[in-house]
């Protein structure tokens, strides 16, 4: 997320993939690269944790098969493990990989940071959108 150049040193508000202010993804479990509940990103976030998703059993199994076990608690990292129904800031490349494999989880577009579009097409994300009217 870009820094405020007005001298305050605060982060600017991020935009979502719809071009409006990024909404929170989840506070329970707390998510986001910055663990602030939002899928904001910045130069430190090499994984691009920008896609707000609703976990499914199918996706969790897919992710585990790819070597990223999101179910098992890792208390040493303050991670309780995820279950189906949890909202989480997923890495955009992983969402794209799951999409191509037919295992993509549902997406909250208003909480998905615009940086996800470097990896994912908006029309693909929209196919899995929970929050389109």
């Amino acid at each position: 997320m870009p820094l405020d150049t007005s001298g305050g040193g605060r982060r600017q508000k991020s935009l979502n993939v719809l071009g409006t202010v990024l909404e929170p993804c989840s506070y329970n479990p707390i998510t986001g690269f910055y663990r602030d509940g939002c899928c904001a990103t910045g130069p430190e976030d090499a994984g691009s944790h920008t896609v707000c998703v609703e976990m499914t059993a199918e996706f969790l199994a897919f992710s585990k098969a790819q070597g990223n076990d999101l179910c098992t608690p890792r208390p040493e990292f303050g991670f309780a493990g995820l279950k189906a129904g949890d909202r989480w800031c997923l890495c955009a490349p992983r969402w794209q990989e799951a999409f191509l494999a037919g295992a993509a989880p549902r997406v909250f577009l208003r909480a998905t940071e615009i940086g996800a579009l470097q990896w994912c097409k908006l029309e693909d994300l929209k196919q899995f959108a929970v929050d389109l009217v």
Side-chain angles (χ1 to χ4, degrees):
M1 179 184 318
L3 289 180
D4 181 333
T5 56
S6 66
R10 297 176 309 271
R11 290 199 164 101
Q12 294 177 355
K13 295 276 185 189
S14 292
L15 297 178
N16 61 35
V17 294
L18 302 174
T20 59
V21 174
L22 183 67
E23 295 181 6
C25 181
S26 175
Y27 295 113
N28 186 21
I30 190 72
T31 191
F33 180 78
Y34 298 105
R35 289 299 187 260
D36 61 0
C38 293
C39 298
T41 192
E44 312 90 353
D45 182 12
S48 186
H49 295 77
T50 52
V51 183
C52 181
V53 302
E54 181 179 304
M55 289 291 155
T56 63
E58 178 184 25
F59 173 76
L60 290 167
F62 171 82
S63 187
K64 186 173 184 177
Q66 301 307 308
N68 188 17
D69 180 1
L70 297 171
C71 298
T72 302
R74 299 289 307 266
E76 66 273 26
F77 298 117
F79 180 68
L82 299 173
K83 62 187 180 318
D86 285 344
R87 289 175 64 162
W88 192 251
C89 293
L90 186 63
C91 293
R94 177 64 54 155
W95 188 90
Q96 182 64 25
E97 180 183 30
F99 170 75
L100 293 173
R106 294 170 41 120
V107 176
F108 294 87
L109 296 175
R110 291 184 189 102
T112 295
E113 210 261 354
I114 197 166
L117 298 179
Q118 294 176 12
W119 299 95
C120 311
K121 293 180 182 175
L122 182 57
E123 55 266 25
D124 295 340
L125 293 168
K126 283 183 174 180
Q127 290 179 42
F128 291 82
V130 175
D131 56 351
L132 278 183
V133 178

